[in-house]
Amino acid sequence: TQLLEQSPQFLSIQEGENLTVYCNSSSVFSSLQWYRQEPGEGPVLLVTVVTGGEVKKLKRLTFQFGDARKDSSLHITAAQPGDTGLYLCAQSTFYGGSQGNLIFGKGTKLSVKP
Amino acid sequence: GAGVSQSPSNKVTEKGKDVELRCDPISGHTALYWYRQSLGQGLEFLIYFQGNSAPDKSGLPSDRFSAERTGGSVSTLTIQRTQQEDSAVYLCASSPRRGYEQYFGPGTRLTVT
């Protein structure tokens, strides 16, 4: 059974602080996505990473994919109240020679206070 | 272009009643997913459709839950004899291919009283 764990589960910080959230899998994944979900809305895709060791930047957000393709991190620099939301990682693995369904973690709930 | 739409946005129903939730995926997306999300929790996979293939129903929690996808486009999730534990947000997502990025609708908030 694939397990995708995210940590921390909750994070409350002040505006301007930096933070890192983590996503760890029990299985090697073929690709990993990060989503952000704001209250009352569906998750929105932030980034997809597919190559071991890959680093992607999206403004103040830096996403890193572990060399072993079993872990990923999201670092936010100078957090703002607009970053508040539930951050979900999702992995895809090969199943029967083709892409399987995405498996979602339980998410990190981030609150950035002004 | 238009994103994934869901209706209704909110549904309040009495215990024991049946409900139907609708999802309109992004045009051209062959994969369609239904998830359930309880308050503040992650996503619980319910069912997956891919083109004309038989759906993957492995996530449906009981036989009171069913879904169909007509013409490879619109999907309806039906919950029969609703129970209070069915109260949650039901999210639909579509994707150009299985295992790739998913695009979510805003969800339907179901409250069973």
Side-chain angles (χ1 to χ4, degrees), chain A residues 31 33 35 37 40-43 45 48 86 88 92 95 99-102 104-106, chain B residues 33 35 37 40-43 45 48 56 91 98-106 109:
Chain A
S31 70
Q33 289 121 41
Y35 295 80
Q37 184 179 23
E41 300 182 8
L45 178 70
T48 299
L86 180 68
L88 295 159
S92 177
Y95 179 79
Q99 289 279 8
N101 288 329
L102 286 182
F104 282 85
K106 293 187 183 300
Chain B
Y33 302 80
Y35 295 91
Q37 187 175 35
Q41 299 297 308
L43 303 181
F45 166 76
Y48 157 71
D56 176 356
L91 291 160
R98 184 185 192 186
Y100 284 72
E101 296 91 346
Q102 296 186 10
Y103 298 84
F104 285 83
R109 180 174 296 279

mmCIF file of all heavy atoms in Angstrom, chain A residues 31 33 35 37 40-43 45 48 86 88 92 95 99-102 104-106, chain B residues 33 35 37 40-43 45 48 56 91 98-106 109:
data_model
loop_
_atom_site.group_PDB
_atom_site.id
_atom_site.type_symbol
_atom_site.label_atom_id
_atom_site.label_comp_id
_atom_site.label_asym_id
_atom_site.label_seq_id
_atom_site.Cartn_x
_atom_site.Cartn_y
_atom_site.Cartn_z
ATOM 1 N N SER A 31 5.924 10.937 -10.874
ATOM 2 C CA SER A 31 5.772 12.384 -10.874
ATOM 3 C C SER A 31 5.092 12.797 -9.589
ATOM 4 O O SER A 31 4.455 11.977 -8.924
ATOM 5 C CB SER A 31 4.948 12.874 -12.074
ATOM 6 O OG SER A 31 3.599 12.491 -11.933
ATOM 7 N N GLN A 33 2.935 16.201 -7.788
ATOM 8 C CA GLN A 33 2.330 17.522 -7.936
ATOM 9 C C GLN A 33 2.077 18.142 -6.573
ATOM 10 O O GLN A 33 1.819 17.444 -5.597
ATOM 11 C CB GLN A 33 1.009 17.410 -8.696
ATOM 12 C CG GLN A 33 1.196 17.076 -10.162
ATOM 13 C CD GLN A 33 0.509 15.813 -10.559
ATOM 14 O OE1 GLN A 33 -0.597 15.562 -10.126
ATOM 15 N NE2 GLN A 33 1.147 15.017 -11.395
ATOM 16 N N TYR A 35 -0.462 21.059 -4.834
ATOM 17 C CA TYR A 35 -1.685 21.835 -5.011
ATOM 18 C C TYR A 35 -1.877 22.731 -3.789
ATOM 19 O O TYR A 35 -1.450 22.400 -2.694
ATOM 20 C CB TYR A 35 -2.910 20.909 -5.109
ATOM 21 C CG TYR A 35 -2.952 20.003 -6.324
ATOM 22 C CD1 TYR A 35 -2.204 18.824 -6.352
ATOM 23 C CD2 TYR A 35 -3.759 20.305 -7.415
ATOM 24 C CE1 TYR A 35 -2.258 17.984 -7.452
ATOM 25 C CE2 TYR A 35 -3.814 19.464 -8.515
ATOM 26 C CZ TYR A 35 -3.061 18.313 -8.519
ATOM 27 O OH TYR A 35 -3.115 17.479 -9.619
ATOM 28 N N GLN A 37 -5.139 24.637 -1.777
ATOM 29 C CA GLN A 37 -6.592 24.736 -1.685
ATOM 30 C C GLN A 37 -6.958 25.819 -0.695
ATOM 31 O O GLN A 37 -6.549 25.768 0.471
ATOM 32 C CB GLN A 37 -7.199 23.399 -1.242
ATOM 33 C CG GLN A 37 -8.716 23.398 -1.218
ATOM 34 C CD GLN A 37 -9.284 22.059 -0.810
ATOM 35 O OE1 GLN A 37 -8.622 21.265 -0.157
ATOM 36 N NE2 GLN A 37 -10.519 21.795 -1.200
ATOM 37 N N GLY A 40 -13.300 26.826 0.775
ATOM 38 C CA GLY A 40 -14.456 26.932 -0.091
ATOM 39 C C GLY A 40 -14.175 26.714 -1.563
ATOM 40 O O GLY A 40 -15.084 26.890 -2.395
ATOM 41 N N GLU A 41 -12.964 26.346 -1.884
ATOM 42 C CA GLU A 41 -12.610 26.134 -3.294
ATOM 43 C C GLU A 41 -11.956 24.774 -3.481
ATOM 44 O O GLU A 41 -11.553 24.122 -2.520
ATOM 45 C CB GLU A 41 -11.670 27.231 -3.774
ATOM 46 C CG GLU A 41 -12.264 28.625 -3.678
ATOM 47 C CD GLU A 41 -11.332 29.692 -4.195
ATOM 48 O OE1 GLU A 41 -10.280 29.355 -4.766
ATOM 49 O OE2 GLU A 41 -11.657 30.880 -4.025
ATOM 50 N N GLY A 42 -11.854 24.352 -4.749
ATOM 51 C CA GLY A 42 -11.142 23.120 -5.039
ATOM 52 C C GLY A 42 -9.647 23.364 -5.080
ATOM 53 O O GLY A 42 -9.191 24.500 -5.207
ATOM 54 N N PRO A 43 -8.840 22.305 -4.963
ATOM 55 C CA PRO A 43 -7.386 22.457 -5.053
ATOM 56 C C PRO A 43 -6.978 23.005 -6.421
ATOM 57 O O PRO A 43 -7.593 22.687 -7.437
ATOM 58 C CB PRO A 43 -6.867 21.035 -4.856
ATOM 59 C CG PRO A 43 -7.963 20.312 -4.153
ATOM 60 C CD PRO A 43 -9.225 20.920 -4.669
ATOM 61 N N LEU A 45 -3.623 23.403 -8.985
ATOM 62 C CA LEU A 45 -2.275 22.910 -9.245
ATOM 63 C C LEU A 45 -1.250 24.042 -9.191
ATOM 64 O O LEU A 45 -1.435 25.098 -9.803
ATOM 65 C CB LEU A 45 -2.221 22.253 -10.626
ATOM 66 C CG LEU A 45 -0.861 21.718 -11.063
ATOM 67 C CD1 LEU A 45 -0.483 20.497 -10.238
ATOM 68 C CD2 LEU A 45 -0.883 21.381 -12.549
ATOM 69 N N THR A 48 4.298 20.629 -11.157
ATOM 70 C CA THR A 48 4.565 19.200 -11.330
ATOM 71 C C THR A 48 6.064 19.013 -11.420
ATOM 72 O O THR A 48 6.741 19.751 -12.158
ATOM 73 C CB THR A 48 3.902 18.671 -12.600
ATOM 74 O OG1 THR A 48 2.491 18.835 -12.506
ATOM 75 C CG2 THR A 48 4.218 17.200 -12.800
ATOM 76 N N LEU A 86 -4.528 25.112 2.357
ATOM 77 C CA LEU A 86 -4.142 23.717 2.550
ATOM 78 C C LEU A 86 -3.246 23.317 1.386
ATOM 79 O O LEU A 86 -3.656 23.413 0.228
ATOM 80 C CB LEU A 86 -5.397 22.829 2.593
ATOM 81 C CG LEU A 86 -5.168 21.332 2.785
ATOM 82 C CD1 LEU A 86 -4.624 21.051 4.179
ATOM 83 C CD2 LEU A 86 -6.474 20.566 2.570
ATOM 84 N N LEU A 88 -1.380 20.476 -0.583
ATOM 85 C CA LEU A 88 -1.495 19.037 -0.825
ATOM 86 C C LEU A 88 -0.431 18.584 -1.808
ATOM 87 O O LEU A 88 -0.203 19.233 -2.827
ATOM 88 C CB LEU A 88 -2.867 18.710 -1.415
ATOM 89 C CG LEU A 88 -4.085 18.959 -0.540
ATOM 90 C CD1 LEU A 88 -5.344 19.082 -1.385
ATOM 91 C CD2 LEU A 88 -4.245 17.840 0.474
ATOM 92 N N SER A 92 2.086 10.175 -8.485
ATOM 93 C CA SER A 92 1.659 9.173 -9.443
ATOM 94 C C SER A 92 2.737 8.116 -9.520
ATOM 95 O O SER A 92 3.920 8.435 -9.464
ATOM 96 C CB SER A 92 1.443 9.798 -10.821
ATOM 97 O OG SER A 92 1.090 8.811 -11.757
ATOM 98 N N TYR A 95 1.827 1.694 -12.673
ATOM 99 C CA TYR A 95 0.995 0.556 -12.283
ATOM 100 C C TYR A 95 0.697 -0.249 -13.527
ATOM 101 O O TYR A 95 0.051 0.226 -14.440
ATOM 102 C CB TYR A 95 -0.300 1.064 -11.623
ATOM 103 C CG TYR A 95 -1.239 -0.035 -11.194
ATOM 104 C CD1 TYR A 95 -1.014 -0.751 -10.022
ATOM 105 C CD2 TYR A 95 -2.348 -0.364 -11.964
ATOM 106 C CE1 TYR A 95 -1.861 -1.760 -9.627
ATOM 107 C CE2 TYR A 95 -3.200 -1.362 -11.576
ATOM 108 C CZ TYR A 95 -2.964 -2.057 -10.406
ATOM 109 O OH TYR A 95 -3.811 -3.058 -10.010
ATOM 110 N N GLN A 99 0.623 4.756 -16.180
ATOM 111 C CA GLN A 99 0.416 5.655 -15.056
ATOM 112 C C GLN A 99 -0.791 5.213 -14.234
ATOM 113 O O GLN A 99 -1.850 4.945 -14.776
ATOM 114 C CB GLN A 99 0.172 7.084 -15.561
ATOM 115 C CG GLN A 99 1.391 7.753 -16.142
ATOM 116 C CD GLN A 99 2.304 8.322 -15.080
ATOM 117 O OE1 GLN A 99 2.102 8.098 -13.897
ATOM 118 N NE2 GLN A 99 3.322 9.042 -15.501
ATOM 119 N N GLY A 100 -0.606 5.163 -12.911
ATOM 120 C CA GLY A 100 -1.722 4.877 -12.026
ATOM 121 C C GLY A 100 -2.401 6.156 -11.617
ATOM 122 O O GLY A 100 -2.045 7.241 -12.063
ATOM 123 N N ASN A 101 -3.374 6.024 -10.751
ATOM 124 C CA ASN A 101 -4.080 7.203 -10.254
ATOM 125 C C ASN A 101 -3.187 8.019 -9.326
ATOM 126 O O ASN A 101 -2.237 7.500 -8.753
ATOM 127 C CB ASN A 101 -5.335 6.781 -9.502
ATOM 128 C CG ASN A 101 -6.409 6.270 -10.430
ATOM 129 O OD1 ASN A 101 -6.510 6.699 -11.575
ATOM 130 N ND2 ASN A 101 -7.211 5.337 -9.944
ATOM 131 N N LEU A 102 -3.518 9.281 -9.192
ATOM 132 C CA LEU A 102 -2.817 10.115 -8.223
ATOM 133 C C LEU A 102 -3.218 9.708 -6.812
ATOM 134 O O LEU A 102 -4.383 9.423 -6.554
ATOM 135 C CB LEU A 102 -3.165 11.580 -8.425
ATOM 136 C CG LEU A 102 -2.559 12.297 -9.627
ATOM 137 C CD1 LEU A 102 -2.993 13.755 -9.617
ATOM 138 C CD2 LEU A 102 -1.054 12.194 -9.625
ATOM 139 N N PHE A 104 -3.141 11.287 -3.030
ATOM 140 C CA PHE A 104 -2.985 12.557 -2.334
ATOM 141 C C PHE A 104 -2.580 12.350 -0.882
ATOM 142 O O PHE A 104 -3.049 11.425 -0.221
ATOM 143 C CB PHE A 104 -4.300 13.346 -2.370
ATOM 144 C CG PHE A 104 -4.566 14.025 -3.673
ATOM 145 C CD1 PHE A 104 -5.175 13.344 -4.713
ATOM 146 C CD2 PHE A 104 -4.208 15.348 -3.866
ATOM 147 C CE1 PHE A 104 -5.422 13.964 -5.926
ATOM 148 C CE2 PHE A 104 -4.446 15.985 -5.083
ATOM 149 C CZ PHE A 104 -5.047 15.281 -6.110
ATOM 150 N N GLY A 105 -1.718 13.247 -0.394
ATOM 151 C CA GLY A 105 -1.444 13.305 1.026
ATOM 152 C C GLY A 105 -2.579 14.016 1.747
ATOM 153 O O GLY A 105 -3.498 14.546 1.111
ATOM 154 N N LYS A 106 -2.529 14.046 3.073
ATOM 155 C CA LYS A 106 -3.590 14.682 3.862
ATOM 156 C C LYS A 106 -3.422 16.188 3.931
ATOM 157 O O LYS A 106 -4.325 16.894 4.352
ATOM 158 C CB LYS A 106 -3.625 14.093 5.270
ATOM 159 C CG LYS A 106 -4.057 12.629 5.306
ATOM 160 C CD LYS A 106 -4.240 12.162 6.734
ATOM 161 C CE LYS A 106 -4.597 10.686 6.787
ATOM 162 N NZ LYS A 106 -5.851 10.396 6.059
ATOM 163 N N TYR B 33 -12.484 12.262 -12.104
ATOM 164 C CA TYR B 33 -12.369 11.707 -10.754
ATOM 165 C C TYR B 33 -13.391 12.353 -9.836
ATOM 166 O O TYR B 33 -13.685 13.539 -9.952
ATOM 167 C CB TYR B 33 -10.984 12.002 -10.162
ATOM 168 C CG TYR B 33 -9.816 11.485 -10.967
ATOM 169 C CD1 TYR B 33 -9.355 12.180 -12.081
ATOM 170 C CD2 TYR B 33 -9.149 10.327 -10.592
ATOM 171 C CE1 TYR B 33 -8.263 11.718 -12.806
ATOM 172 C CE2 TYR B 33 -8.058 9.854 -11.316
ATOM 173 C CZ TYR B 33 -7.623 10.555 -12.417
ATOM 174 O OH TYR B 33 -6.558 10.104 -13.131
ATOM 175 N N TYR B 35 -13.866 12.864 -5.597
ATOM 176 C CA TYR B 35 -13.240 12.757 -4.287
ATOM 177 C C TYR B 35 -14.220 13.266 -3.237
ATOM 178 O O TYR B 35 -15.131 14.048 -3.530
ATOM 179 C CB TYR B 35 -11.978 13.627 -4.196
ATOM 180 C CG TYR B 35 -10.849 13.227 -5.108
ATOM 181 C CD1 TYR B 35 -10.757 13.773 -6.385
ATOM 182 C CD2 TYR B 35 -9.865 12.347 -4.688
ATOM 183 C CE1 TYR B 35 -9.707 13.426 -7.232
ATOM 184 C CE2 TYR B 35 -8.814 12.005 -5.525
ATOM 185 C CZ TYR B 35 -8.741 12.547 -6.787
ATOM 186 O OH TYR B 35 -7.705 12.208 -7.612
ATOM 187 N N GLN B 37 -14.089 15.135 0.642
ATOM 188 C CA GLN B 37 -13.211 15.817 1.585
ATOM 189 C C GLN B 37 -14.009 16.223 2.812
ATOM 190 O O GLN B 37 -14.906 17.065 2.713
ATOM 191 C CB GLN B 37 -12.573 17.047 0.944
ATOM 192 C CG GLN B 37 -11.515 17.729 1.796
ATOM 193 C CD GLN B 37 -10.838 18.862 1.049
ATOM 194 O OE1 GLN B 37 -11.467 19.562 0.265
ATOM 195 N NE2 GLN B 37 -9.541 19.045 1.288
ATOM 196 N N GLY B 40 -11.531 20.052 6.705
ATOM 197 C CA GLY B 40 -10.121 20.226 6.997
ATOM 198 C C GLY B 40 -9.238 19.038 6.689
ATOM 199 O O GLY B 40 -8.057 19.044 7.009
ATOM 200 N N GLN B 41 -9.805 18.034 6.034
ATOM 201 C CA GLN B 41 -9.045 16.807 5.772
ATOM 202 C C GLN B 41 -8.552 16.756 4.330
ATOM 203 O O GLN B 41 -8.872 17.608 3.505
ATOM 204 C CB GLN B 41 -9.916 15.584 6.050
ATOM 205 C CG GLN B 41 -10.389 15.499 7.483
ATOM 206 C CD GLN B 41 -9.243 15.359 8.449
ATOM 207 O OE1 GLN B 41 -8.387 14.494 8.312
ATOM 208 N NE2 GLN B 41 -9.189 16.246 9.436
ATOM 209 N N GLY B 42 -7.754 15.719 4.041
ATOM 210 C CA GLY B 42 -7.283 15.506 2.681
ATOM 211 C C GLY B 42 -8.370 14.926 1.805
ATOM 212 O O GLY B 42 -9.535 14.858 2.179
ATOM 213 N N LEU B 43 -7.964 14.503 0.624
ATOM 214 C CA LEU B 43 -8.913 14.005 -0.368
ATOM 215 C C LEU B 43 -9.051 12.494 -0.290
ATOM 216 O O LEU B 43 -8.068 11.774 -0.296
ATOM 217 C CB LEU B 43 -8.447 14.393 -1.763
ATOM 218 C CG LEU B 43 -8.248 15.879 -2.011
ATOM 219 C CD1 LEU B 43 -7.800 16.133 -3.429
ATOM 220 C CD2 LEU B 43 -9.536 16.637 -1.734
ATOM 221 N N PHE B 45 -10.335 9.416 -2.364
ATOM 222 C CA PHE B 45 -10.701 8.993 -3.711
ATOM 223 C C PHE B 45 -11.978 8.166 -3.677
ATOM 224 O O PHE B 45 -12.137 7.271 -2.836
ATOM 225 C CB PHE B 45 -9.557 8.181 -4.319
ATOM 226 C CG PHE B 45 -9.929 7.425 -5.561
ATOM 227 C CD1 PHE B 45 -10.071 8.088 -6.771
ATOM 228 C CD2 PHE B 45 -10.150 6.060 -5.527
ATOM 229 C CE1 PHE B 45 -10.407 7.399 -7.920
ATOM 230 C CE2 PHE B 45 -10.483 5.354 -6.668
ATOM 231 C CZ PHE B 45 -10.609 6.030 -7.869
ATOM 232 N N TYR B 48 -13.151 6.723 -10.508
ATOM 233 C CA TYR B 48 -12.381 7.261 -11.624
ATOM 234 C C TYR B 48 -12.951 6.725 -12.932
ATOM 235 O O TYR B 48 -13.231 5.533 -13.051
ATOM 236 C CB TYR B 48 -10.924 6.843 -11.450
ATOM 237 C CG TYR B 48 -10.082 6.808 -12.698
ATOM 238 C CD1 TYR B 48 -9.699 7.990 -13.334
ATOM 239 C CD2 TYR B 48 -9.652 5.603 -13.241
ATOM 240 C CE1 TYR B 48 -8.912 7.953 -14.462
ATOM 241 C CE2 TYR B 48 -8.862 5.560 -14.375
ATOM 242 C CZ TYR B 48 -8.493 6.741 -14.982
ATOM 243 O OH TYR B 48 -7.713 6.704 -16.101
ATOM 244 N N ASP B 56 -13.131 2.767 -12.330
ATOM 245 C CA ASP B 56 -12.468 2.244 -11.133
ATOM 246 C C ASP B 56 -13.290 2.700 -9.930
ATOM 247 O O ASP B 56 -13.219 3.854 -9.535
ATOM 248 C CB ASP B 56 -11.038 2.785 -11.055
ATOM 249 C CG ASP B 56 -10.308 2.358 -9.788
ATOM 250 O OD1 ASP B 56 -10.924 1.700 -8.921
ATOM 251 O OD2 ASP B 56 -9.130 2.711 -9.648
ATOM 252 N N LEU B 91 -15.724 16.695 -4.400
ATOM 253 C CA LEU B 91 -14.940 17.376 -5.429
ATOM 254 C C LEU B 91 -14.830 16.507 -6.671
ATOM 255 O O LEU B 91 -14.646 15.296 -6.583
ATOM 256 C CB LEU B 91 -13.536 17.677 -4.908
ATOM 257 C CG LEU B 91 -13.432 18.737 -3.820
ATOM 258 C CD1 LEU B 91 -12.126 18.610 -3.071
ATOM 259 C CD2 LEU B 91 -13.556 20.127 -4.415
ATOM 260 N N ARG B 98 -4.709 9.814 -17.313
ATOM 261 C CA ARG B 98 -4.580 9.199 -15.992
ATOM 262 C C ARG B 98 -3.191 9.459 -15.434
ATOM 263 O O ARG B 98 -2.197 9.308 -16.137
ATOM 264 C CB ARG B 98 -4.808 7.697 -16.107
ATOM 265 C CG ARG B 98 -4.795 6.962 -14.772
ATOM 266 C CD ARG B 98 -4.914 5.465 -15.003
ATOM 267 N NE ARG B 98 -5.185 4.762 -13.768
ATOM 268 C CZ ARG B 98 -5.229 3.447 -13.658
ATOM 269 N NH1 ARG B 98 -5.020 2.696 -14.716
ATOM 270 N NH2 ARG B 98 -5.478 2.886 -12.500
ATOM 271 N N GLY B 99 -3.154 9.848 -14.151
ATOM 272 C CA GLY B 99 -1.884 10.049 -13.475
ATOM 273 C C GLY B 99 -1.255 11.411 -13.715
ATOM 274 O O GLY B 99 -0.235 11.716 -13.124
ATOM 275 N N TYR B 100 -1.881 12.234 -14.530
ATOM 276 C CA TYR B 100 -1.349 13.556 -14.806
ATOM 277 C C TYR B 100 -2.083 14.608 -13.981
ATOM 278 O O TYR B 100 -2.946 14.292 -13.166
ATOM 279 C CB TYR B 100 -1.440 13.854 -16.305
ATOM 280 C CG TYR B 100 -0.375 13.119 -17.087
ATOM 281 C CD1 TYR B 100 -0.455 11.745 -17.282
ATOM 282 C CD2 TYR B 100 0.723 13.790 -17.603
ATOM 283 C CE1 TYR B 100 0.525 11.057 -17.972
ATOM 284 C CE2 TYR B 100 1.711 13.106 -18.306
ATOM 285 C CZ TYR B 100 1.605 11.742 -18.474
ATOM 286 O OH TYR B 100 2.577 11.063 -19.147
ATOM 287 N N GLU B 101 -1.721 15.870 -14.212
ATOM 288 C CA GLU B 101 -2.292 16.945 -13.418
ATOM 289 C C GLU B 101 -3.816 16.900 -13.454
ATOM 290 O O GLU B 101 -4.401 16.645 -14.502
ATOM 291 C CB GLU B 101 -1.833 18.315 -13.935
ATOM 292 C CG GLU B 101 -0.356 18.558 -13.825
ATOM 293 C CD GLU B 101 0.420 18.135 -15.056
ATOM 294 O OE1 GLU B 101 -0.140 17.406 -15.891
ATOM 295 O OE2 GLU B 101 1.583 18.554 -15.167
ATOM 296 N N GLN B 102 -4.400 17.201 -12.310
ATOM 297 C CA GLN B 102 -5.856 17.213 -12.225
ATOM 298 C C GLN B 102 -6.334 18.637 -12.018
ATOM 299 O O GLN B 102 -5.712 19.417 -11.298
ATOM 300 C CB GLN B 102 -6.329 16.311 -11.081
ATOM 301 C CG GLN B 102 -5.975 14.852 -11.315
ATOM 302 C CD GLN B 102 -6.550 13.919 -10.297
ATOM 303 O OE1 GLN B 102 -7.377 14.290 -9.478
ATOM 304 N NE2 GLN B 102 -6.129 12.670 -10.340
ATOM 305 N N TYR B 103 -7.468 18.937 -12.611
ATOM 306 C CA TYR B 103 -8.084 20.255 -12.513
ATOM 307 C C TYR B 103 -9.409 20.070 -11.799
ATOM 308 O O TYR B 103 -10.273 19.325 -12.272
ATOM 309 C CB TYR B 103 -8.256 20.863 -13.905
ATOM 310 C CG TYR B 103 -6.937 21.058 -14.607
ATOM 311 C CD1 TYR B 103 -6.338 20.010 -15.305
ATOM 312 C CD2 TYR B 103 -6.254 22.264 -14.529
ATOM 313 C CE1 TYR B 103 -5.104 20.173 -15.913
ATOM 314 C CE2 TYR B 103 -5.021 22.437 -15.148
ATOM 315 C CZ TYR B 103 -4.451 21.382 -15.826
ATOM 316 O OH TYR B 103 -3.233 21.551 -16.421
ATOM 317 N N PHE B 104 -9.525 20.767 -10.683
ATOM 318 C CA PHE B 104 -10.654 20.547 -9.792
ATOM 319 C C PHE B 104 -11.763 21.571 -9.991
ATOM 320 O O PHE B 104 -11.515 22.737 -10.302
ATOM 321 C CB PHE B 104 -10.196 20.622 -8.335
ATOM 322 C CG PHE B 104 -9.432 19.418 -7.881
ATOM 323 C CD1 PHE B 104 -8.082 19.300 -8.150
ATOM 324 C CD2 PHE B 104 -10.070 18.403 -7.187
ATOM 325 C CE1 PHE B 104 -7.372 18.187 -7.738
ATOM 326 C CE2 PHE B 104 -9.370 17.291 -6.767
ATOM 327 C CZ PHE B 104 -8.017 17.174 -7.049
ATOM 328 N N GLY B 105 -12.974 21.108 -9.743
ATOM 329 C CA GLY B 105 -14.100 22.026 -9.627
ATOM 330 C C GLY B 105 -14.155 22.605 -8.226
ATOM 331 O O GLY B 105 -13.369 22.229 -7.359
ATOM 332 N N PRO B 106 -15.098 23.517 -7.979
ATOM 333 C CA PRO B 106 -15.199 24.167 -6.674
ATOM 334 C C PRO B 106 -15.811 23.281 -5.597
ATOM 335 O O PRO B 106 -15.755 23.622 -4.416
ATOM 336 C CB PRO B 106 -16.090 25.378 -6.956
ATOM 337 C CG PRO B 106 -16.930 24.941 -8.115
ATOM 338 C CD PRO B 106 -16.060 24.058 -8.954
ATOM 339 N N ARG B 109 -20.877 21.185 -1.411
ATOM 340 C CA ARG B 109 -20.914 20.948 0.035
ATOM 341 C C ARG B 109 -22.242 20.286 0.370
ATOM 342 O O ARG B 109 -23.304 20.883 0.200
ATOM 343 C CB ARG B 109 -20.773 22.253 0.803
ATOM 344 C CG ARG B 109 -20.795 22.050 2.326
ATOM 345 C CD ARG B 109 -20.495 23.341 3.066
ATOM 346 N NE ARG B 109 -19.152 23.820 2.795
ATOM 347 C CZ ARG B 109 -18.059 23.373 3.393
ATOM 348 N NH1 ARG B 109 -18.155 22.419 4.309
ATOM 349 N NH2 ARG B 109 -16.879 23.866 3.093
#
